[in-house]
Amino acid sequence: MSPGARARPVLLLLPLLAVPLLWGLGAGDHALGHRSVDLLGHLWHHWHAAREPLTTTTLVRFPEGVDLRPITGGWLDVWLGGRLGARLGMGPVAVWNTVVAVFVAVAGLGGTALARVLGAGPGAAVLAGLLLQLDGFLLLHLAGGRTEQVGIGFVALALAGGIRLQRDESSAAEAIAVGISGALVVALGWELALGTAAGCLLLAPVLLRWGPQGRAARRRTALALATAALLCLPGVVSFLAGALAAREASPGFRQAVTAVASVGLLEWLGPHRAGPHSLSLLALLALPWTAAPGQRRLWAGLGGLLGLSLLLALGPTPALHRGGPPVWTGPTLWDLAHAVPILDWFHWPDRLTVPWSLLAPVAAALAVTAARRRAGRAAAVLLGLLLLGGALAEHAAAQRGPPAAWRPQPRPSATWLRDQPGSGAVFDLPLNGRGHMSQSHLVDQLTHGRPTRAHPFLDHLVVSPADPAALPLRDNTALRWLSAVHPRSPRPAGPLDPAALAGLGAAGFDWIVLHETALPAPLAAELSAALAAALGPPVHRTAGAAIWSFDPRG
């Protein structure tokens, strides 16, 4: 093989790397996406993972901390972000943008691999990867800060490997690689992992009848499954143990399983939806003419999976438009699925449209491959440009992103605390508040780096402490007094006990920060007077905040 022939596959893959690279470079010091609790939560998870074990933390709800297993949708991006932060010393925004760029690059590679294994030519397969990188589902979740859903490329890689294992030319080494890719899907997020497993079970009868299924193929499939189980089973057991216990104990978890974002059928199929591009959807309709004859049974099974996923995505009250009047009020597939234990954890029906995002780009690639086979290279190039141009036009018209729209801005109090000696914890008052104010505590923490009592993204949860030995502190009257401060509540009952307050200092708190502008002025004045009576005058004042130290020396 000539050097040029060996270099060609690498050159074909370069466009797939260009998309995330351009987005990352264009972001600068802004985070890719809009400000949201999900995006902030992922920034925080990456930051925490560079400092503590993945599954527990005392950096929030200090000093007892929390068990993070029940409230983390996936661990792959957290682990990767933690390694980037710990090994390279990257800041939270740079870590987030890098993780997102990696996941988008994997989407391109996964879409390419899936198209290739299903019969697309090399160039057409790269087109499938590009279309998946520009897919509305991926970009919607990228903008919202949900890396678990951005990682659909890992699902594509696992599916591509699983299909290839049914072929005679596959090897044991490939089976192990497929098992590793399956374990990565499990680590990516429980929603995609459950959806992928359910889809594979539904397709199993088709796969068993498609392609050469001899003893060697069954051995390779068993080896892949065993590899995946060996790698991910301990994590699955740990996750289920923590999640089941928390969901049993928490009313917030039980309330969260109600559907909150069902797909509106016509809206989803329209040009501004969060799904595949219009021309890619049309390519799905062309599959009977573009798929290879030997794959038609497989595509019939995949077509059934597409229909089933869309019916599930319509949720418990199917409507033509999201929020519109229901067109059906009887039992639905969503209701039936929710009757199955663990499947009732799903509460975002629109996330079940993943098969469409994976298969529509593949169908587009198969259409280009068929055009080349029947009408020549020029026709294939023109069709490919039309598909890519249509995707870019919809991308621009719908303003799908990914926007680099948010630059975390810490408050002046956090900047001052960053420069103070020691590493004691911060007690922010109020712990929670209206709008973005409660999230601001975590933005501040990413700046000053200290543990905090605040836990704004855990408000509705009951979770196990990371350090049960710290639980006796919950009887501290000053802790209860301070925790009762809220913008919409009156002054906490009773006086602030200086002795109990000193107990908080002994437990590891160094600072109390009263965010005066986050409270009604009369309440802020009363709290300031109470803190001054217990601790003396504030050691520092910044715009909108007063800071007290538990150390009388300041």
Side-chain angles (χ1 to χ4, degrees):
M1 181 183 292
S2 67
R6 286 195 298 268
R8 187 178 175 221
V10 177
L11 294 175
L12 281 173
L13 294 177
L14 288 180
L16 304 175
L17 303 178
V19 172
L21 181 63
L22 289 173
W23 285 342
L25 292 176
D29 58 355
H30 287 65
L32 287 169
H34 297 293
R35 174 169 181 158
S36 69
V37 68
D38 288 325
L39 176 52
L40 177 56
H42 279 89
L43 259 70
W44 182 89
H45 269 75
H46 297 162
W47 175 82
H48 125 79
R51 292 157 176 80
E52 294 184 300
L54 287 181
T55 57
T56 60
T57 181
T58 56
L59 288 170
V60 293
R61 197 184 278 176
F62 181 85
E64 66 267 32
V66 291
D67 180 349
L68 292 171
R69 288 175 300 169
I71 55 174
T72 304
W75 299 100
L76 184 58
D77 72 291
V78 177
W79 175 84
L80 177 58
R83 294 310 89 205
L84 289 171
R87 299 290 176 85
L88 302 181
M90 299 169 65
V93 169
V95 166
W96 162 257
N97 288 344
T98 303
V99 170
V100 166
V102 169
F103 276 31
V104 173
V106 171
L109 297 173
T112 298
L114 187 58
R116 194 77 177 99
V117 80
L118 287 172
V126 170
L127 173 67
L130 289 171
L131 291 175
L132 186 56
Q133 289 179 328
L134 297 171
D135 178 77
F137 178 93
L138 182 147
L139 293 176
L140 170 74
H141 291 292
L142 192 164
R146 295 176 287 275
T147 30
E148 300 96 333
Q149 314 302 324
V150 179
I152 57 176
F154 291 96
V155 177
L157 286 174
L159 292 177
I163 292 172
R164 179 169 168 76
L165 287 185
Q166 314 311 310
R167 301 179 181 174
D168 287 335
E169 66 268 22
S170 61
S171 65
E174 287 178 295
I176 293 174
V178 172
I180 293 172
S181 67
L184 289 177
V185 172
V186 175
L188 175 69
W190 65 267
E191 287 180 318
L192 281 181
L194 279 176
T196 302
C200 289
L201 286 175
L202 291 170
L203 286 174
V206 177
L207 292 173
L208 289 173
R209 297 292 301 274
W210 177 73
Q213 262 292 336
R215 183 177 300 175
R218 287 194 292 270
R219 282 200 301 265
R220 291 190 296 268
T221 302
L223 177 59
L225 291 172
T227 301
L230 181 66
L231 291 174
C232 68
L233 199 56
V236 169
V237 171
S238 173
F239 168 76
L240 286 176
L244 286 169
R247 288 167 190 269
E248 180 65 26
S250 172
F253 261 131
R254 290 196 292 273
Q255 294 165 5
V257 300
T258 56
V260 293
S262 298
V263 160
L265 183 59
L266 295 182
E267 181 182 22
W268 188 77
L269 293 171
H272 299 292
R273 67 198 172 277
H277 309 101
S278 302
L279 294 178
S280 297
L281 286 174
L282 290 175
L284 277 171
L285 298 177
L287 275 174
W289 296 273
T290 58
Q295 295 181 358
R296 285 174 183 166
R297 185 191 301 273
L298 173 66
W299 278 105
L302 291 171
L305 183 62
L306 290 173
L308 184 64
S309 71
L310 191 54
L311 285 174
L312 283 167
L314 292 173
T317 53
L320 296 179
H321 295 277
R322 180 183 290 188
V327 296
W328 171 260
T329 55
T332 64
L333 280 178
W334 174 268
D335 296 319
L336 295 176
H338 254 217
V340 179
I342 298 182
L343 292 187
D344 63 357
W345 293 2
F346 282 94
H347 62 286
W348 295 92
D350 56 358
R351 296 184 185 180
L352 297 174
T353 57
V354 162
W356 292 80
S357 293
L358 290 175
L359 295 177
V362 174
L366 292 177
V368 171
T369 302
R372 175 163 186 171
R373 185 171 60 248
R374 297 172 186 176
R377 182 175 183 178
V381 171
L382 286 174
L383 179 57
L385 291 175
L386 176 64
L387 287 162
L388 184 58
L392 291 171
E394 285 190 23
H395 174 84
Q399 296 182 337
R400 292 180 176 180
W406 179 46
R407 181 183 179 189
Q409 293 283 4
R411 290 172 288 195
S413 58
T415 305
W416 184 84
L417 287 170
R418 178 192 60 197
D419 300 329
Q420 303 311 303
S423 56
V426 175
F427 205 123
D428 289 284
L429 291 179
L431 288 178
N432 301 291
R434 291 168 288 192
H436 290 319
M437 200 286 295
S438 60
Q439 299 175 24
S440 295
H441 297 328
L442 292 189
V443 176
D444 290 348
Q445 187 182 41
L446 297 179
T447 298
H448 61 59
R450 299 168 181 271
T452 177
R453 185 66 185 171
H455 48 93
F457 55 94
L458 312 176
D459 290 346
H460 65 290
L461 309 178
V462 175
V463 294
S464 303
D467 181 10
L471 280 177
L473 191 64
R474 64 186 171 185
D475 296 325
N476 183 287
T477 58
L479 181 66
R480 291 203 298 269
W481 195 94
L482 295 170
S483 300
V485 174
H486 193 276
R488 292 186 295 273
S489 298
R491 183 181 188 276
L496 178 58
D497 182 3
L501 201 58
L504 295 185
F509 286 96
D510 276 4
W511 308 95
I512 290 181
V513 181
L514 174 61
H515 298 281
E516 295 167 312
T517 54
L519 295 164
L523 177 58
E526 286 191 42
L527 293 173
S528 180
L531 289 169
L535 294 173
V539 295
H540 187 75
R541 282 193 173 275
T542 66
I547 304 173
W548 280 264
S549 171
F550 283 97
D551 184 345
R553 295 168 296 178

